[in-house]
Structures are given as structure tokens and as C-alpha cells.
Amino acid sequence: MREIVTLTMNPALDITTATGRVIATDKVRCAAPRRDPGGGGINVARILHVLGAPATAVFPSGGHSGRALEDLLATEGVRSRSITIRGSTRESFTIDEEQTGLQYRFVLPGPSLTPREVESCLDALVQSAKDAAFVVASGSLPPGVPVTFYQTLADALADSSARLVVDTSGPPLRALERGVYLLKPSIRELREHVGRDLRTLDEQVSAARELITAGICAVVVLSLGPDGAVHVTAAEEEHCPSLAVPVVSAVGAGDSMVAGIIVGLERQWDLREAVRYGVAAGVAMLRTPGTAPCRRSDVDQCYAALVRRATVGQHSDAVY
Ligand SMILES: Nc1ncnc2c1ncn2[C@@H]1O[C@H](COP(=O)(O)OP(=O)(O)OP(=O)(O)O)[C@@H](O)[C@H]1O
Ligand SMILES: [Mg+2]
């Protein structure tokens, strides 16, 4: 398999812990924290690695938190190329409240990048992507990075053989104009993007196709949470249902789906099959807490269940 490069402009060191009850002004004593490397592209690289695909995560990194993030990735065996920045990599803090089952997620904005640091990230990415099959740009942009950054990236990759996959929302999504191979909005993100409810599958498909007609991308994979995903091109659309499975945590399901689709495409599967593998990877991610990567055996089991259902019309969702 050829190299896949991911870019995460706003990485995070994810700290997850648990406590009985969160009470204001009291000292809230927490369980031992779990630390995970986080941020869209980094999550995609971790899953690609689990699925046996050669991935390199490119990201700006600064301070103790940046070094901790790099160490965690190295421990998992994920290749990384970090660009040193002056600011400190942000930390995200999640608390599971045991008495209520509620989860509190505190997400910080991330350090401000200087124009020079932004430029260095772009250069490092373009250099890393020289022989890559895919570049995955995923996640939000930190302060200091222009909302047009992903468009600048697409233009910088225009002459390369790498196909660009973008998973983002809000202003950076709105700023895209051309040069993207595949976009992976969730239904929530597409609704927000077009400012319509998108109640029916037909409405969802037309909204997705508007992005293709506008020349922004060739493929939209619209993820629908428990309802799976629909892929849309200029010529076709197809819905791939998901499986009904118990959910430990839905965090990272979209990142896992992106990794699965790319692995499918790298196996030379057609889009329908690759998206099915992506849906399987999204489902498998529901089994692990937080952003802990899914297991490859779970992805393969879910994929087999989806194929069985599509070919013999079996309706049992029992996979585990
Ligand atoms: N509750 C669920 N039941 C079954 N499958 C799910 C569920 N949640 C997610 N998935 C699977 O994971 C994929 C991605 O999930 P989702 O559509 O929520 O994207 P997301 O990027 O994680 O969402 P967002 O970015 O809006 O938080 C889905 O297409 C589906 O295959
Ligand atoms: Mg998402």
C-alpha cells in the first residue's frame, strides 16, 4: 500500500478521567487520567495504522503537551512529522461522571500559529505527500490559521498525485472552492453548511451534489450516524446502512470511517465497497472508549456483516 499522509492543524492531547459527581466549587477528585493523541488527522492516522496502512501524521507541536502527544504516537507505532511551534499544543479534558453516565468535554482553542509556522506546516505537508496516495486534512483550524487554509493546501497539492480528502466544517468548509477529491461532512455539518433541514435522503443527496456541481470535490461521503452513510458523485449515489450495535462511545466514529474508506480505495475497491468498509470502521469505533482506536478484527467482522446483509438480505445486526 502506498503512503497516506494526514494533516492536523489543531491537534490535542486528550485527557480523559472519571469521577463520581462533578460538583461546583468542591475539589473534584478524579481517577487516573488516560492520555490519548487527538485531533482529526491524528485520529485518522491511528486508525490507518491499526488497519495496516502506512500513515504519517503531520502536525504543529509545541510545549510539554506537544512532546507528550508525539511520544504517545510513537508508542502506538504511528509515524509522525511534527513542526515545532512556539505555543503549546492544546489539551482537551473529558470527565465521565459515573453517577449519571454524563460526559463533560472541555475543548480549548489551541495555540495561535504565526504566518511563518503556518507556512512551515504547509511545506512539510507538501514534502511528505510527494509519493503519497492520499492526503487527509481533518479537523478545525487553530487561531492564526486563515479559514482559506484548506483551499491553499488543495492548490499546493494540485500537481501532486495524492488525492485530497477533507473532513472539516463551518468557515473552513465554506472557504473550499476546488481541488478536493473527497469531502466527508456529517449530516449535522452539511445541514449547517447549506442552512436547510435536509429531512429526506433525496434532499441530502441534492445538497451533497451541490458541492460537486460547484466544482469543489468529486465525491461526497455524507455520514448519517446510526443511519450509515450515503456516497454521492456527479453520476451516482448510494446509501450504505449501518449496523445497530451497543455504543460505548461515538467519539471518533467519523475519523475511523475516513480511514476505512481510504483503506478500501487503496485496495482498489470501488467506491461502494470502500464506503462500506468505512461504515464498518465507524461502527467498530463505537466499541472503544473515547478516541481509543478500534480493533481491526471488529472492522472486518462489521464489514462481513454488512456484506452478508447486502448480498443475502439478512437483517440480523448481531456481529459481536
Ligand atoms: N449510533 C451509531 N450506530 C451505528 N453506527 C454509527 C453510529 N454512530 C456512528 N456510526 C457509524 O460511524 C459513521 C460516522 O459517524 P457520524 O455520522 O456520527 O460522523 P462523525 O464525523 O463522527 O460526526 P460529527 O463530526 O458530526 O460528530 C456513520 O456513518 C456510521 O457508519
Ligand atoms: Mg466528524
Side-chain angles (χ1 to χ4, degrees):
M1 247 186 233
R2 290 169 302 167
E3 179 77 13
I4 298 147
V5 178
T6 74
L7 177 64
T8 314
M9 289 304 281
N10 204 5
L13 179 63
D14 288 334
I15 300 168
T16 308
T17 185
T19 194
R21 193 80 200 249
V22 178
I23 301 168
T25 68
D26 263 12
K27 270 187 186 161
V28 178
R29 307 242 173 234
C30 299
R34 185 196 150 95
R35 287 188 168 78
D36 277 293
I42 285 175
N43 290 335
V44 174
R46 295 168 76 202
I47 312 278
L48 284 168
H49 180 70
V50 164
L51 297 178
T56 300
V58 177
F59 55 92
S61 170
H64 294 300
S65 44
R67 268 194 300 282
L69 197 157
E70 290 170 41
D71 288 349
L72 286 166
L73 277 178
T75 307
E76 286 185 18
V78 179
R79 252 198 313 272
S80 65
R81 176 165 183 176
S82 59
I83 297 94
T84 304
I85 56 165
R86 280 193 63 146
S88 286
T89 297
R90 67 183 169 147
E91 290 163 292
S92 293
F93 199 66
T94 300
I95 300 185
D96 293 317
E97 195 180 50
E98 291 157 343
Q99 287 174 20
T100 58
L102 293 174
Q103 189 177 60
Y104 294 91
R105 299 179 72 190
F106 301 91
V107 178
L108 302 176
S112 191
L113 266 61
T114 65
R116 217 197 150 110
E117 288 170 344
V118 174
E119 195 65 36
S120 301
C121 291
L122 198 59
D123 290 347
L125 189 280
V126 170
Q127 212 179 62
S128 306
K130 250 195 225 120
D131 303 313
F134 287 93
V135 167
V136 184
S138 176
S140 59
L141 297 173
V145 179
V147 288
T148 50
F149 178 80
Y150 287 140
Q151 185 55 57
T152 309
L153 172 67
D155 293 339
L157 291 171
D159 294 331
S160 99
S161 55
R163 290 193 278 186
L164 176 63
V165 175
V166 179
D167 180 356
T168 193
S169 58
L173 174 60
R174 206 154 294 126
L176 285 174
E177 292 177 358
R178 59 187 170 268
V180 178
Y181 169 65
L182 187 150
L183 271 177
K184 203 293 294 166
S186 64
I187 181 66
R188 179 183 60 78
E189 293 163 338
L190 188 64
R191 269 190 196 121
E192 183 194 293
H193 181 73
V194 298
R196 305 197 296 271
D197 278 348
L198 309 181
R199 288 217 186 82
T200 65
L201 194 58
D202 277 353
E203 286 170 348
Q204 294 161 6
V205 168
S206 344
R209 193 163 280 131
E210 283 165 24
L211 297 166
I212 297 166
T213 316
I216 299 167
C217 60
V219 182
V220 175
V221 177
L222 174 62
S223 68
L224 306 167
D227 294 326
V230 54
H231 82 253
V232 180
T233 66
E236 61 174 36
E237 70 257 0
E238 184 160 341
H239 177 230
C240 176
S242 189
L243 299 166
V245 296
V247 179
V248 175
S249 163
V251 178
D255 299 327
S256 190
M257 156 172 266
V258 168
I261 294 169
I262 291 175
V263 167
L265 292 173
E266 265 302 274
R267 289 176 181 168
Q268 310 302 321
W269 293 357
D270 63 16
L271 204 50
R272 171 207 283 176
E273 226 40 49
V275 170
R276 191 176 283 157
Y277 200 65
V279 168
V283 175
M285 193 70 185
L286 306 175
R287 276 200 104 179
T288 49
T291 56
C294 54
R295 283 176 289 266
R296 186 175 182 167
S297 53
D298 285 347
V299 179
D300 290 333
Q301 263 180 47
C302 291
Y303 176 67
L306 287 167
V307 170
R308 259 198 319 275
R309 193 172 57 185
T311 48
V312 297
Q314 255 182 22
H315 282 292
S316 164
D317 278 344
V319 272
Y320 300 127

